[in-house]
Amino acid sequence: MNGDGATADTMTIRQMCDAFDVTARTLRFYESKDLLAPIRSGTRRLFTRRDRARLKLILRGRRFGFTLDEIGELLDLYDIGDGQATQLRRTLEIASAHLASLEHRRRDLDEAIAELKAQMEWGEARLGRKGARAAPRPLPETPRPAAPGA
Amino acid sequence: MNGDGATADTMTIRQMCDAFDVTARTLRFYESKDLLAPIRSGTRRLFTRRDRARLKLILRGRRFGFTLDEIGELLDLYDIGDGQATQLRRTLEIASAHLASLEHRRRDLDEAIAELKAQMEWGEARLGRKGARAAPRPLPETPRPAAPGA
DNA sequence: ACTGTATTTGACGTTTACGTCAACGGAACG
DNA sequence: CGTTCCGTTGACGTAAACGTCAAATACAGT
């Protein structure tokens, strides 16, 4: 048989590192933060399907700039199972706030993409018509200082 | 006349703090990183329209989890003016990579929003039909350990 | 001139999210 | 049985992005 502790449903730490492109240190760190809870075979960690699902969510949260603490809250959402109704309501409140945050980010993101595309088209136009002397492209509008005596 | 150094087009550091909800330390820090370049009236900083436009972009970049160094690169995009064609091409390459990154984030974000909404609907359904015994909601699929001898 | 408040420049502290050793443990191989 | 890998647990280091505190300066109003 293959010597390592991995079964059909569990993975060793190295397999996890390869599958998700993270370091072992990172996985141990997440465990210390209670984001993951691999089982043990002797002293060694074995990561379950649940750990993999959670890690996937952690990595996505990270790409959005959530802190690990915030991600921990979100993870609990996927992990209720049998909480009381009160606890469930509270969780839904947190989820609702996070959803609003995500949708706000989405609007920002759309705006950023549109502006970046516009900038790039401007740049490409300059490369195309080499001699073109366009006016220095306008910067987005920003708050003006308020006249105190108005 | 109002005593401070602010004119119709410039703002003092405090006005900036109020307008953008950042601390003075942050503004000075960004200046030290060459992200902002306020002019001086004596020793005091006066932030121009350009500084405000750049700060707006910095803050948006931050919300997406870009580092300040990355944001610096993006800012240069909005700031070429008269670079050589080679430099402009290089800048467009960087921009293109950032655009791809932004669009990837957008896809991730859409997925995250969809999953979060689904979770919330599941939770609300449990609150509604109090006695409902649904199967423990499925977790998203993840990589399985590969059978080494296959 | 005096006082008070806003600003400036260092310098050092802090938090987050890991990286980097060091020292040890066990198991698999020859 | 010795060696060679992983793997584990601390302990300490680090980079980014500021916070905090101190000491000095600069104006503004009286």
Side-chain angles (χ1 to χ4, degrees):
Chain A
M1 283 289 177
N2 72 39
D4 64 11
T7 73
D9 281 341
T10 65
M11 288 169 70
T12 68
I13 200 167
R14 191 116 319 266
Q15 289 173 327
M16 289 290 283
C17 294
D18 294 347
F20 289 95
D21 194 33
V22 295
T23 70
R25 177 69 178 93
T26 298
L27 294 173
R28 296 192 196 103
F29 181 67
Y30 288 168
E31 182 184 357
S32 79
K33 287 257 179 178
D34 290 322
L35 300 179
L36 299 178
I39 58 179
R40 297 300 178 110
S41 160
T43 86
R44 314 196 158 179
R45 291 167 176 84
L46 286 179
F47 294 84
T48 66
R49 209 180 105 278
R50 179 163 173 279
D51 290 313
R52 296 195 291 276
R54 291 171 69 92
L55 181 54
K56 185 183 174 188
L57 294 171
I58 294 168
L59 296 180
R60 185 162 63 195
R62 252 188 4 178
R63 283 197 295 278
F64 296 145
F66 287 124
T67 71
L68 291 184
D69 283 2
E70 289 168 332
I71 291 171
E73 287 180 359
L74 277 173
L75 278 177
D76 294 340
L77 242 191
Y78 291 81
D79 212 41
I80 313 170
D82 61 340
Q84 298 290 359
T86 305
Q87 171 61 24
L88 182 51
R89 275 189 205 289
R90 173 84 190 101
T91 304
L92 283 173
E93 280 170 32
I94 297 176
S96 178
H98 273 288
L99 181 57
S101 160
L102 287 180
E103 287 180 333
H104 182 261
R105 272 161 194 261
R106 216 186 85 120
R107 280 193 298 278
D108 265 21
L109 193 48
D110 282 343
E111 203 185 319
I113 287 175
E115 280 183 27
L116 186 50
K117 272 185 181 166
Q119 278 310 120
M120 289 179 64
E121 276 160 25
W122 176 84
E124 276 155 10
R126 281 206 45 160
L127 275 186
R129 315 165 288 137
K130 301 252 290 211
R133 259 289 156 248
R137 82 270 75 129
L139 284 167
E141 334 72 58
T142 47
R144 288 295 169 77
Chain B
M1 284 284 172
N2 71 39
D4 63 12
T7 72
D9 281 338
T10 66
M11 289 169 69
T12 69
I13 201 168
R14 189 117 320 269
Q15 289 173 327
M16 288 290 282
C17 295
D18 295 347
F20 289 94
D21 194 35
V22 294
T23 70
R25 177 69 178 92
T26 297
L27 294 174
R28 295 189 197 106
F29 181 67
Y30 290 168
E31 183 184 358
S32 79
K33 288 256 180 180
D34 289 324
L35 299 179
L36 299 177
I39 58 179
R40 297 302 179 109
S41 160
T43 86
R44 314 197 156 181
R45 292 166 176 82
L46 285 180
F47 294 84
T48 66
R49 212 181 102 277
R50 179 164 174 277
D51 290 313
R52 297 194 291 276
R54 292 172 68 93
L55 181 55
K56 185 183 174 188
L57 295 170
I58 293 169
L59 296 179
R60 186 162 63 195
R62 255 190 358 181
R63 283 196 296 277
F64 297 145
F66 287 123
T67 70
L68 292 185
D69 283 2
E70 289 169 330
I71 292 172
E73 287 182 359
L74 277 174
L75 277 178
D76 292 341
L77 244 191
Y78 291 81
D79 210 43
I80 312 172
D82 60 341
Q84 297 292 358
T86 305
Q87 171 61 22
L88 182 51
R89 274 188 203 290
R90 173 87 191 98
T91 304
L92 282 173
E93 280 170 30
I94 297 176
S96 178
H98 274 289
L99 180 57
S101 161
L102 287 180
E103 288 180 331
H104 182 261
R105 272 161 195 261
R106 212 198 109 103
R107 281 192 298 276
D108 263 21
L109 194 47
D110 282 342
E111 205 185 319
I113 287 175
E115 281 183 26
L116 187 50
K117 272 186 180 165
Q119 279 309 120
M120 290 179 64
E121 277 160 24
W122 176 84
E124 276 155 11
R126 283 206 44 160
L127 275 186
R129 315 164 288 140
K130 299 253 290 213
R133 258 291 154 247
R137 81 271 76 126
L139 284 169
E141 334 75 54
T142 48
R144 289 294 169 75

